[in-house]
Amino acid sequence: MTTLTIITGDQLSPGLSALKAMERGKDHVLMAELCDEVRYVRHHLKKIVLIFSAMRHFAEELQAAGHCVHYHRFDPDASIRSFSDAVAAHCQRHAIDEVVVTRPGEWRVFDEFNKLEKSLGIPVRMLEDDRFVSTPGEFADWAEGRKSLRMEFFYRLMRKRTGLLMDQQGEPEGGQWNFDADNRRKWKGSPESASPMSFVPDDITREVIALVSSSIDGFGELDGFDFGVTRAQARRALAHFVRTGLAWFGDYQDALPDDEDYRFHSRLSAYLNIGLLDPLEVCEAVEGAWRSGEVPLNAAEGYIRQIIGWREFVRGIYWLKMPDYADGNHLAGDQPLPAWYWTGETGMRCLERAIGNTRRNAYAHHIQRLMVTGNFALLLGVRPREVCEWYLAVYADAYEWVELPNTLGMVMFGDGGLLASKPYAASGKYIQRMGDHCANCKYNVAERTADDACPFNALYWDFLMRNEKKLGGNPRMRMMYRNVERLEPAEKAAITKRANWIRENVEVL
Ligand SMILES: Cc1cc2nc3c(=O)[nH]c(=O)nc-3n(C[C@H](O)[C@H](O)[C@H](O)COP(=O)(O)OP(=O)(O)OC[C@H]3O[C@@H](n4cnc5c(N)ncnc54)[C@H](O)[C@@H]3O)c2cc1C
Ligand code: SF4
């Protein structure tokens, strides 16, 4: 009996469940650089290079370890365009008795794999992806019967399950589960920032860069590609972050610097999401740094919470609610995404910096994604689908299981509050408080309705007024709505007028 194991571009882990299930040397591994995967959104060019190069390196490692690997290189004119095409072609040439896959990261591919058995007439076995702390089934059990799903409670369960940052009595280290309240500092010029580890492209990566630049019309800049593309490099990037950035991660994780792209963020998500790093090995390295006194507890806890809290939680929501989740539009957004989301050409400094980072690096840190590009799309009332497609395309770490809940749920409140207890709507004041963009902007953050007023301001108040029926009863928004009540009718009218003007002229802001 011969098995065919499919490995997708985000499953580059030697311990992958589908690899463990096969007989090395006898069974076949299939890896393919596919047109459909390249083109279903307009991906950042650096994201495509990262995935293809990491795939090629991984295939070489598997071959060296004795696996029988069949590898399709990208060809824009190839007749094999999808996983189904690649598997069907392979099964025609080889006697395959069973196809084995690990649960893919996107519902679209999950659905495609589920249909394979019928189209091929060969049994297809889908194994759980055990590179996560929890499974979709366990998440569904946890969610069952709960009125609302909150990350914090799920996170505590994950802390207990993994034992991370737990003391010998089974209590959280430091006597608290969450040190987020300590993590809102504005960076004032010191300590010196840390940059993520940068890697010089090797021959394989250079070959992929040439291929991608000549044959794919993607988003963003390809120059300066410096991601690691092997597990060994990703582990070096992890060690580098723990040594240079982690200590300050907690304090400044919400900061919005005008002159830097990363500050103390790790840029590890791109490695985690394609399997070059394992989430638990990352958390253990972070915990180890705290236990040996190298970093404070708020930094270690803050970082670990992002991984075993948010990362696991959004994945749970994704598999619990897909495929209908993608259609959510609770706040009835109906505006198009401004064209400058793709070019970065806007006079709003915070947006120009966030989109510039995105174009250059296939990266923006969480607060840029949530409180700058995300917040603006929410306040403007953009159609969630367009926003989701943008986020899925432009980041090197973007796969739908993690991108969609963050965008549709956290940013756009499109799921009506399943993931977040209230929309993360904020005026320009928040952006001013967290960084130094506003000092460099042509708009005046202190103004609400004047001609040069920061567009976030009128849009923020207009957002609250427009959505009062849906959001006014939310206990976490009581303060905001009390402030709306205090507005004079003339001020409300001026806000509506300015917000309408912004919507009509958004392309030239
Ligand atoms: C609108 C929006 C879209 C996003 N899309 C993605 C995406 O496609 N892929 C993705 O990995 N993350 C996404 N995130 C979450 C988060 O912004 C990124 O994980 C983070 O910016 C990656 O950079 P980093 O590795 O430097 O993270 P750090 O700031 O160093 O954080 C550490 C790690 O925690 C994890 N993490 C932190 N926050 C989240 C979160 N909210 N959800 C899941 N994991 C989290 C990531 O693995 C990250 O590497 C999105 C957030 C928003 C608001
Ligand atoms: S003034 Fe407004 S648009 Fe300009 S940087 Fe500040 S928040 Fe952004």
Side-chain angles (χ1 to χ4, degrees), residues 151-392:
M151 188 284 293
E152 181 62 27
F153 299 111
F154 183 70
Y155 165 56
R156 292 179 191 182
L157 188 69
M158 295 298 102
R159 286 274 294 276
K160 286 182 197 155
R161 159 134 6 133
T162 57
L164 286 161
L165 296 181
M166 300 298 288
D167 68 16
Q168 291 189 339
Q169 283 69 49
E171 297 297 324
E173 293 287 6
Q176 252 170 262
W177 290 103
N178 183 321
F179 291 84
D180 210 20
D182 301 346
N183 292 355
R184 309 246 161 87
R185 288 171 67 181
K186 179 172 176 173
W187 187 77
K188 292 186 180 151
S190 71
E192 204 175 309
S193 296
S195 297
M197 185 165 244
S198 173
F199 298 91
V200 177
D202 65 4
D203 289 348
I204 294 180
T205 302
R206 281 202 300 273
E207 194 183 348
V208 174
I209 289 173
L211 170 77
V212 169
S213 68
S214 64
S215 58
I216 296 173
D217 171 33
F219 165 80
E221 296 167 19
L222 188 44
D223 285 351
F225 179 90
D226 72 341
F227 283 98
V229 289
T230 63
R231 176 164 160 71
Q233 289 179 327
R235 284 181 58 82
R236 282 173 58 204
L238 165 62
H240 172 83
F241 166 69
V242 170
R243 210 171 46 245
T244 61
L246 176 61
W248 306 108
F249 173 84
D251 288 354
Y252 300 111
Q253 75 184 76
D254 287 0
L256 281 168
D258 193 58
D259 55 348
E260 283 182 32
D261 292 334
Y262 300 101
R263 188 98 334 142
F264 301 108
H265 290 275
S266 66
R267 198 179 68 159
L268 295 180
S269 53
Y271 304 131
L272 277 161
N273 295 353
I274 57 175
L276 297 185
L277 286 176
D278 182 81
L280 280 182
E281 82 179 318
V282 172
C283 292
E284 281 157 12
V286 168
E287 180 181 36
W290 172 68
R291 292 207 182 273
S292 60
E294 292 159 56
V295 304
L297 184 54
N298 71 309
E301 188 282 319
Y303 198 87
I304 287 173
R305 176 162 24 90
Q306 308 307 316
I307 307 255
I308 62 167
W310 278 113
R311 191 170 184 270
E312 294 285 331
F313 182 69
V314 299
R315 180 173 184 261
I317 298 249
Y318 181 78
W319 287 111
L320 187 68
K321 294 293 175 188
M322 280 301 280
D324 297 344
Y325 193 73
D327 297 327
N329 188 2
H330 180 68
L331 299 180
D334 59 0
Q335 298 293 304
L337 187 74
W340 46 255
Y341 267 71
W342 298 99
T343 63
E345 286 163 16
T346 168
M348 290 180 280
R349 179 74 174 189
C350 53
L351 282 152
E352 184 255 310
R353 298 299 297 160
I355 298 168
N357 190 2
T358 305
R359 285 185 57 82
R360 273 190 305 284
N361 303 312
Y363 179 84
H365 62 74
H366 187 65
I367 296 302
Q368 286 183 314
R369 297 187 204 196
L370 180 63
M371 301 309 295
V372 181
T373 44
N375 186 24
F376 192 82
L378 171 75
L379 300 182
L380 191 67
V382 178
R383 290 187 279 270
R385 248 187 200 280
E386 283 185 43
V387 187
C388 294
E389 190 175 313
W390 185 80
Y391 279 97
L392 188 58

Side-chain angles (χ1 to χ4, degrees), residues 11-27:
Q11 296 183 338
L12 310 180
S13 312
L16 189 77
S17 54
L19 278 173
K20 283 189 283 196
M22 66 184 291
E23 202 178 316
R24 191 179 299 210
K26 175 176 157 292
D27 294 331

Side-chain angles (χ1 to χ4, degrees), residues 348-351 428 431-432 437-438 441 443-445 454-456:
M348 290 180 280
R349 179 74 174 189
C350 53
L351 282 152
I431 293 172
Q432 182 190 31
H437 294 310
C438 300
C441 185
Y443 292 102
N444 185 346
V445 71
C454 165
F456 280 86

Side-chain angles (χ1 to χ4, degrees), residues 66-87:
H67 283 284
C68 172
V69 181
H70 297 253
Y71 195 97
H72 289 256
R73 289 185 167 216
F74 182 75
D75 171 359
D77 305 316
S79 58
I80 292 178
R81 307 188 75 75
S82 64
F83 285 112
S84 314
D85 294 343
V87 176

Side-chain angles (χ1 to χ4, degrees), residues 25-39:
K26 175 176 157 292
D27 294 331
H28 299 186
V29 173
L30 178 66
M31 295 177 72
E33 301 167 1
L34 297 160
C35 290
D36 282 6
E37 294 305 301
V38 164
R39 299 206 172 121

Side-chain angles (χ1 to χ4, degrees), residues 433-506:
R433 195 167 59 242
M434 298 317 297
D436 39 12
H437 294 310
C438 300
N440 299 299
C441 185
K442 72 175 191 180
Y443 292 102
N444 185 346
V445 71
E447 289 290 340
R448 192 149 60 189
T449 52
D451 286 351
D452 68 343
C454 165
F456 280 86
N457 291 343
L459 286 178
Y460 168 75
W461 292 100
D462 175 71
F463 170 83
L464 292 178
M465 294 185 315
R466 276 192 297 116
N467 291 297
E468 189 160 3
K469 267 200 189 127
K470 285 178 181 157
L471 303 174
N474 183 327
R476 293 207 58 211
M477 299 189 74
R478 208 164 284 146
M479 269 276 272
M480 292 168 159
Y481 277 101
R482 234 173 255 152
N483 291 333
V484 172
E485 276 166 29
R486 287 196 194 108
L487 293 173
E488 296 293 336
E491 185 63 10
K492 283 188 178 173
I495 287 169
T496 305
K497 188 171 167 221
R498 169 86 177 148
N500 286 341
W501 184 90
I502 291 170
R503 266 188 287 275
E504 279 159 25
N505 294 280
V506 69

